[in-house]
Amino acid sequence: MAAADDLKFQEFDDAANLLAANPDATTISIDEPAEISKNQHGRLQEPGREEDDELLGTDDSDKTEVLDRIKGSVFPVPGKNFVRLYIRSNPDLYGPFWICATLVFTIAVSGNLSNFFIHLGQPTYHYVPEFRKVSIAATTIYAYAWLVPLALWGFLMWRNSKVMNIVSYSFLEIVCVYGYSLFIYIPTAILWIIPQKVVRWVLVMFSLCLSGSVLVMTFWPAVRDDNRRIALATVGTIVLLHALLAVGCLAYFFDAPELDFPAPIIPVHNGTAVITKSK
């Protein structure tokens, strides 16, 4: 009985003899069934996987995209449109939502710490956290980040129906611009803890120039072909509302007037009392 290896070599010899007798013959290679199914499965899976990656994206690509948009809002490039450069390919609400949430808690916590450091060492002062500042900050910031873009989007749509050359942005794109433009105020709010008014106002002006320039460079191309007065009034209103938000947060949460505490009464031996005034 022939061994298995002898039969295998005999098959190769028969194939070689057939090819020598008929050089034009066509040969067919039969692969293992497992290899065939594996190769077919790989060929079918790769295009679908690439398509899913393109549609859904990956976590690394999304994080990189958000970081690029944050960098673009902190370091605006002169002459570059923030929407066309960062937003239009894939507008998102993830970044704006968490930037606003972080800014809310940063302003509320920093405002409480600032009040604590201002009155630190005063014997009549007892620190009590003001949790209402969280709700006030949330209402103010989220109202600004949603209602102002909504009003601006409606205004641009209205002007677009009258002036054909006006660039139109979607509501989601405008929300993205406003959300990312607020990121610079997060480190600024932390530095507002410094109990020096001059330092605070220098910081707010610096942050306002950076974030305001992002808004101006984004929305000026959308209105520059409109009537000159309307275009300037629109950009001026955008900057004014942005400045009111920054100055209002600084004035309410950090530069609030100091409270007058009850003056302690110091008893003396002759029956009279000495009242000392403290602030």
Side-chain angles (χ1 to χ4, degrees), residues 53-246:
D53 291 341
E54 291 178 359
L55 293 176
L56 301 178
T58 60
D59 293 339
D60 294 337
S61 63
D62 292 340
K63 291 178 181 178
T64 303
E65 195 172 54
V66 171
L67 289 176
D68 290 339
R69 293 173 180 180
I70 291 175
K71 292 177 183 178
S73 66
V74 177
F75 305 104
V77 180
K80 298 295 184 180
N81 190 309
F82 187 79
V83 171
R84 293 180 180 177
L85 194 61
Y86 299 103
I87 303 298
R88 179 147 292 178
S89 61
N90 184 25
D92 72 290
L93 292 178
Y94 175 85
F97 175 82
W98 286 110
I99 288 173
C100 291
T102 306
L103 182 59
V104 166
F105 286 99
T106 302
I107 288 179
V109 173
S110 299
N112 279 289
L113 290 176
S114 175
N115 189 34
F116 172 77
F117 289 132
I118 288 175
H119 302 97
L120 183 63
Q122 297 180 3
T124 57
Y125 173 72
H126 299 283
Y127 174 72
V128 178
E130 299 182 43
F131 295 104
R132 62 186 179 85
K133 288 186 175 181
V134 177
S135 59
I136 295 174
T139 303
T140 303
I141 292 172
Y142 276 102
Y144 172 81
W146 285 91
L147 296 182
V148 174
L150 179 62
L152 181 58
W153 173 72
F155 176 79
L156 292 179
M157 292 293 291
W158 173 62
R159 296 306 301 173
N160 190 31
S161 64
K162 296 180 177 297
V163 183
M164 298 303 296
N165 293 330
I166 288 183
V167 178
S168 61
Y169 296 132
S170 67
F171 174 67
L172 186 57
E173 290 173 344
I174 298 177
V175 170
C176 282
V177 175
Y178 270 85
Y180 283 103
S181 67
L182 295 176
F183 178 83
I184 188 62
Y185 291 111
I186 296 176
T188 302
I190 297 175
L191 294 176
W192 278 345
I193 298 176
I194 301 173
Q196 297 292 332
K197 289 187 177 182
V198 175
V199 176
R200 290 175 176 176
W201 283 99
V202 169
L203 289 172
V204 74
M205 294 303 298
F206 177 74
S207 302
L208 181 60
C209 290
L210 287 179
S211 56
S213 62
V214 173
L215 298 178
V216 171
M217 289 189 296
T218 300
F219 295 109
W220 173 249
V223 297
R224 63 185 174 188
D225 292 330
D226 201 346
N227 183 275
R228 191 71 175 179
R229 292 182 179 179
I230 295 178
L232 293 176
T234 302
V235 175
T237 303
I238 292 173
V239 176
L240 179 61
L241 292 175
H242 201 63
L244 286 177
L245 176 71

